[in-house]
Amino acid sequence: MLLHIPQVLGTVALQAVREQLAQAPWADGLATVGALGATVKRNHQVPADSPQGEALARAVEQAVRQQPLFVSAALPRHVLPPLFNRYAGGETYGLHVDGAIRQAAGLMLRADLSCTLFLSDPDTYEGGELVVVDTYGTHEVKLPAGDLVLYPASSLHQVLPVTRGVRLASFFWVQSLVRDDARRAMLFELDQTNQSLLRKLGSCAETLALTNQYHNLLRMWADT
């Protein structure tokens, strides 16, 4: 499931993140990639262990956890600390797949979902589309600043060359309570349908039955 989640960062929060990134140190993105990825990766990243990187990671994680649509779709067990990258001057990240296991806070965590939070207004740079390849085809994603795209970490994907301007983004991974993408998609559709009915009908026998089924399926499929 590929999902667009709008306005994860509002105008004030987005401006604060951009100001911190303007003061942050930048390092070659090759420092955080394996031998295979190094052949196709050309960008810069904020070191995760820098004061700016740690502060920015906390701010973005807090923002995404407060988004009901993100929680409904991702069912997060762990949100790995967000990272920050910059593409300019033709920089790109060729077709690749993210590693299945990531390390954070001394834990080995499974990456079920990949997330990209766009931080630059799309009209300020050319290129830089996130291209995700799945069983339904190839999808180019270039969202407004502050918006996030969520997609299975098992997907092949790439960032096209940025030929004008600067593309800033945050990226991170999620270990979900439900590792199977098809089951997560079913739970998400059921939850969103029930939420819509609750707004229209309020609490009633039908919405209670749907809520019961949702939680029983989650109980059956969740890894805790």
Side-chain angles (χ1 to χ4, degrees):
M1 178 175 64
L2 188 151
L3 181 67
H4 172 196
I5 302 177
Q7 296 183 324
V8 171
L9 293 180
T11 303
V12 174
L14 180 62
Q15 183 60 31
V17 168
R18 287 170 170 169
E19 289 175 358
Q20 291 180 72
L21 285 175
Q23 302 301 318
W26 292 93
D28 194 316
L30 293 178
T32 59
V33 71
L36 184 59
T39 64
V40 295
K41 185 177 184 181
R42 299 290 182 272
N43 69 1
H44 287 78
Q45 293 178 196
V46 176
D49 57 357
S50 67
Q52 296 92 336
E54 292 176 349
L56 285 162
R58 287 192 297 269
V60 167
E61 181 176 347
Q62 182 179 18
V64 298
R65 285 188 177 276
Q66 292 175 349
Q67 288 291 322
L69 195 61
F70 172 83
V71 174
S72 177
L75 294 171
R77 183 180 183 186
H78 297 288
V79 176
L80 280 76
L83 301 171
F84 300 83
N85 58 23
R86 181 182 72 193
Y87 292 83
E91 289 178 321
T92 183
Y93 196 167
L95 200 63
H96 65 284
V97 64
D98 294 332
I101 304 298
R102 319 294 302 191
Q103 188 168 0
L107 300 174
M108 302 297 287
L109 303 175
R110 187 184 65 246
D112 295 318
L113 293 156
S114 295
C115 306
T116 297
L117 174 62
F118 289 77
L119 300 174
S120 297
D121 294 317
D123 59 355
T124 64
Y125 64 98
E126 291 181 1
E129 291 84 355
L130 171 66
V131 180
V132 180
V133 181
D134 62 20
T135 55
Y136 296 100
T138 300
H139 315 276
E140 290 192 2
V141 183
K142 188 173 184 179
L143 300 180
D147 288 14
L148 179 144
V149 62
L150 178 76
Y151 59 98
S154 56
S155 305
L156 286 169
H157 58 284
Q158 63 180 316
V159 176
L160 298 182
V162 172
T163 57
R164 178 184 65 84
V166 177
R167 176 196 190 268
L168 298 173
S170 176
F171 64 101
F172 55 96
W173 297 272
V174 175
Q175 179 173 321
S176 178
L177 288 166
V178 177
R179 72 170 66 193
D180 182 76
D181 183 59
R183 289 176 174 177
R184 278 197 313 274
M186 291 170 63
L187 287 167
F188 176 65
E189 184 175 359
L190 179 57
D191 181 52
Q192 293 301 297
T193 299
N194 195 31
Q195 293 300 321
S196 177
L197 289 174
L198 279 167
R199 288 190 292 270
K200 294 177 182 178
L201 305 176
S203 180
C204 59
E206 290 78 8
T207 56
L208 180 59
L210 286 176
T211 301
N212 185 46
Q213 290 303 311
Y214 173 85
H215 283 285
N216 285 336
L217 287 171
L218 182 58
R219 201 184 331 272
M220 185 185 305
W221 293 337
D223 297 321
T224 60

